[in-house]
Amino acid sequence: MKVFDGKTLAMVIKSQVAGEVKKLNKKLKLAVVLVGQNPASEIYVRNKERACKDVGIDFELIRFAETCKQLDVIKKIKELNKKPEVTAILLQLPLPKHLNERDIIETISPEKDVDCLTQANFGKLALGLSDFAPCTASGILEILKAEQIAIQGKRVAVVGRSALVGLPTQMLLTKHDATVALCHSKTQKLKKITKKADILVVAIGKPNFITKKYVKRHAVVIDVGINKVNGKICGDVDFKKVKKKTHLITPVPGGVGQMTVAMLLKNILLLNLEKK
Ligand code: NAP
């Protein structure tokens, strides 16, 4: 059994990105659009700002009040699309309920869509035309590669089908020749499916939901969940009990979350290199 060390792999990726950024003859800049004051989003945005600064990427935060108008956010994103110095745009999710998330995402120019959430970029990923993917999904692939986990022909279960995590993870791992079952809240006999998985990815946002009974012996378990219980951060997997059964498991914190930020930096670079 091995516990994955997200901090170390994220540092390796960050230093690779920093090296590439130095070689460029232009500056890269990430603009983050943040609506409201969701405490978790505030932390994520601060982490992204710090990471950008660490590798020499410029950063701008554009804040909107919780009660802002949809048209004002759209207008701002259109302005950012036109600014040559802004090379990447990220809309921090979730948005307040009165805003139409899809319409706002579609305003982002695909060339600057660092989270790969526009129909154009997501479509390319779905068709297997590109490895450019939302940061968390890319981070999961990077973990499997770095840990030399075979993907081809393996049975994978992804629990959670969000556009941000579960769905693109399914698409990316299918592109890498895994056989992927995408599970969600309406899935029947979930345990039967996850128990067969050589690689189990969990992204549901339910603390310690996945117990030993859901996991195949010697499986690789990737825990994406970030939950707060009694002031402590934990994942969607009952880490202490499940880890003994696994070949590799990612901890929370210190696992996938570290990779998501590192892959954001890599995606900023990829947008610039047009290697989508
Ligand atoms: P989300 O949009 O709320 O989606 C949750 C998914 O889980 C949905 O597809 C839902 O099914 C499914 N689900 C809920 N309860 C389930 C159950 N009992 N059995 C099976 N499936 C169930 O969440 P998300 O944005 O994907 O995030 C998931 C978790 O990952 C959260 O804890 C979030 O904080 C965390 N996260 C972490 C990172 C990171 O970098 N580590 C990045 C993003 C998100 P339905 O579609 O049927 O509703």
Side-chain angles (χ1 to χ4, degrees), residues 44 136 159-162 164-166 183-187 190 202-206 209 223-227 236 256-258 260:
Y44 297 149
T136 305
V159 191
R161 58 176 163 181
S162 71
L164 203 57
V165 187
C183 311
H184 45 79
S185 68
K186 310 291 184 296
T187 298
L190 178 66
V202 191
I204 57 178
K206 299 245 155 84
F209 181 91
D223 188 356
V224 182
I226 302 178
N227 310 291
D236 291 342
V256 176
Q258 295 277 340
T260 298

Side-chain angles (χ1 to χ4, degrees), residues 55-97:
V55 299
I57 294 174
D58 290 344
F59 179 93
E60 183 183 353
L61 175 60
I62 297 108
R63 281 181 179 276
F64 284 92
E66 184 85 27
T67 52
C68 71
K69 289 197 184 101
Q70 165 118 350
L71 274 179
D72 290 338
V73 182
I74 285 182
K75 196 174 147 212
K76 187 70 205 179
I77 291 178
K78 283 183 176 164
E79 276 171 36
L80 295 171
N81 285 341
K82 283 193 196 137
K83 281 189 175 174
E85 69 273 22
V86 173
T87 58
I89 301 170
L90 186 147
L91 176 68
Q92 186 65 40
L93 301 174
L95 295 178
K97 293 265 182 298

